Amino acid sequence: MIFLTVGKQLPFDRLVEAVDQWAAKNGTEVVAQVGKGKYIPKHIRYYDFCSPEEMESYFFQAELIVSHAGMGTIIDTVVRKKPIIVLPREKRYGEHRNNHQVDTARSLARMGLVTVAYSEDKLIESIEAGVQASDVTISEYASDDLLSTVYNLINK
């Protein structure tokens, strides 16, 4: 099963439509959290929003996560050692106020944490090629060193 999530804040019709069109030609089950977008999926099981418990269940069941390049989703995926393909939201399409997701995706790809698709065609190629989970591990909790550094910065 593939789990598609666009995050909790904004819809991402370009991503949802690309995966929905791929699903029309493929027998793989896709479950999606799509937000309140204008595009209505026809070939995937979707929900506008999922509870934290539902999200956890879908992350657990999924063989692959497909997502926007939001840090919450990426961290949740990497902590669970699941493969993830991200399609960053782009300012030029009106999907976000700036291109921080492109920058985030590029940096995390260099670290080996995500597979990035910069277009719908590349997204489909990546889904069909399959991706492996990163060997890089991170904790869902901040390290003592990080907490100490932040504490010291705040209390200067």
Side-chain angles (χ1 to χ4, degrees):
M1 183 264 282
I2 293 174
F3 181 53
L4 164 66
T5 179
V6 303
K8 299 174 190 151
Q9 296 178 357
L10 300 168
F12 194 5
D13 288 342
R14 183 167 61 100
L15 173 60
V16 175
E17 185 173 359
V19 174
D20 190 45
Q21 295 304 317
W22 173 81
K25 302 171 189 161
N26 190 291
T28 302
E29 177 186 15
V30 178
V31 176
Q33 176 272 313
V34 299
K36 292 281 188 186
K38 293 178 182 160
Y39 179 79
I40 306 298
K42 299 165 194 66
H43 309 285
I44 60 178
R45 181 168 38 126
Y46 72 95
Y47 307 92
D48 290 347
F49 297 99
C50 297
S51 70
E53 295 80 19
E54 291 168 321
M55 292 290 285
E56 179 65 31
S57 176
Y58 293 133
F59 271 102
F60 177 77
Q61 294 173 59
E63 297 167 16
L64 173 66
I65 310 298
V66 176
S67 179
H68 67 128
M71 285 305 301
T73 301
I74 292 169
I75 290 170
D76 285 347
T77 302
V78 174
V79 165
R80 288 165 180 78
K81 297 184 170 121
K82 295 286 184 167
I84 182 170
I85 302 169
V86 298
L87 177 68
R89 297 175 196 271
E90 293 190 48
K91 181 181 179 181
R92 68 180 165 155
Y93 297 122
E95 297 162 343
H96 226 306
R97 65 189 171 279
N98 59 38
N99 279 331
H100 75 276
Q101 285 201 357
V102 173
D103 298 334
T104 297
R106 190 174 293 125
S107 294
L108 294 175
R110 279 194 301 266
M111 296 169 64
L113 294 172
V114 301
T115 297
V116 182
Y118 294 102
S119 70
E120 296 90 332
D121 290 341
K122 293 294 182 189
L123 175 69
I124 299 309
E125 287 176 20
S126 296
I127 292 171
E128 290 181 353
V131 297
Q132 299 299 314
S134 171
D135 289 337
V136 179
T137 57
I138 63 171
S139 172
E140 61 185 304
Y141 303 103
S143 69
D144 290 338
D145 288 342
L146 176 60
L147 292 174
S148 176
T149 300
V150 171
Y151 178 81
N152 289 334
L153 286 170
I154 292 172
N155 293 304
K156 278 190 173 183

